[in-house]
Amino acid sequence: MQMFRDRVDAGRALGQRLRVLLGGGGDLLVLALPRGGVPVGFEVARILGVPLDVFVVRKLGTPGHEELAMGAIATGGVTVLNAGVVRRLRIPQSAIAAAAEREGRELVRREQLFRDGRPPARVEGRTVILVDDGLATGSTMRAALRALRQQKPARIVVGVGVGAPETCAEFEREADAVVCVHTPEPFYAVGQWFEDFTQTTDDEVRELLARAAHGGAVSPAEV
């Protein structure tokens, strides 16, 4: 399988797939999961000619193994737990509550930082495309999807550059549509399918969102 050069490359590939599926314009909205999903989402919004915003979600890292997600929290007070991880590692409720409180503070901080005073985009009644660079366990995306449902969008489409085959299949039961550009087997980590998987910075997220807010997206005809 050919690797993506970077997140921009992944966003362009995903945007082309989504344009075939959804067309462009209309009442579509791209919501990107920061930070790595924002460069991907910017390209998707540019190709579709639609608005871009962020949907902030924070992973709940397992104590002592922070890279392993025991769950995630999202805007709107939604917490999604990875029941298998919690049960297998016998993680106490106190540890989950402490992680949720800590990440909740960071979630609020990031929302204020990234939006720079701009209000959240309207979700109700729209087709929302939730975008990230990839799906591994899916905890973060699942939290975002369930939080978004509370805001009553018409449809939720999950779009990623690369994903674990079983995780992408699971989301077909939860989202209205799923586009995973690549589903390699075996799958070990999202980053292994990118030549450049450098961490996206807060400043890069702010810059891309500001560009999108000030007409950075183009119409499909210009792509």
Side-chain angles (χ1 to χ4, degrees):
M1 188 202 82
Q2 185 176 1
M3 297 174 68
F4 293 119
R5 290 189 302 276
D6 52 21
R7 291 182 178 89
V8 171
D9 187 30
R12 289 172 180 167
L14 177 59
Q16 297 295 348
R17 292 277 190 97
L18 287 164
R19 186 165 65 174
V20 171
L21 177 68
L22 301 171
D27 211 10
L28 297 175
L29 169 67
V30 174
L31 290 184
L33 305 189
R35 290 177 293 201
V38 175
V40 181
F42 181 85
E43 293 301 320
V44 171
R46 190 177 67 85
I47 287 171
L48 298 181
V50 302
L52 170 71
D53 198 0
V54 288
F55 198 82
V56 183
V57 184
R58 294 290 297 169
K59 180 178 75 174
L60 300 180
T62 301
H65 302 279
E66 294 298 324
E67 73 286 351
L68 176 63
M70 62 178 176
I73 61 171
T75 298
V78 173
T79 301
V80 177
L81 293 179
N82 187 328
V85 170
V86 171
R87 185 171 55 250
R88 185 170 70 252
L89 299 181
R90 299 179 180 178
I91 301 170
Q93 184 59 41
S94 59
I96 296 171
E101 181 180 358
R102 180 177 65 252
E103 295 301 336
R105 291 194 298 270
E106 179 63 12
L107 187 148
V108 171
R109 184 193 74 83
R110 290 194 179 208
E111 282 194 318
Q112 294 172 344
L113 174 68
F114 294 152
R115 286 213 175 87
D116 233 0
R118 293 182 298 271
R122 174 182 59 83
V123 168
E124 185 173 356
R126 304 176 85 166
T127 293
V128 177
I129 308 167
L130 266 179
V131 173
D132 205 353
D133 47 20
L135 284 176
T137 66
S139 294
T140 303
M141 182 66 79
R142 191 166 288 110
L145 191 152
R146 293 178 182 177
L148 270 181
R149 287 287 185 207
Q150 297 180 0
Q151 298 184 33
K152 300 180 180 177
R155 296 175 71 202
I156 299 177
V157 179
V158 169
V160 297
V162 63
E166 63 275 13
T167 305
C168 290
E170 288 170 6
F171 274 95
E172 290 179 358
R173 296 189 290 270
E174 295 199 44
D176 298 293
V178 178
V179 177
C180 298
V181 177
H182 294 311
T183 53
E185 186 69 64
F187 180 94
Y188 298 111
V190 172
Q192 76 179 117
W193 303 105
F194 290 77
E195 293 175 13
D196 179 0
F197 200 61
T198 306
Q199 187 176 52
T200 306
T201 67
D202 286 350
D203 285 345
E204 288 170 333
V205 169
R206 293 179 69 192
E207 179 189 353
L208 289 171
L209 292 174
R211 283 173 59 189
H214 293 91
V218 298
S219 70
E222 295 179 89
V223 177

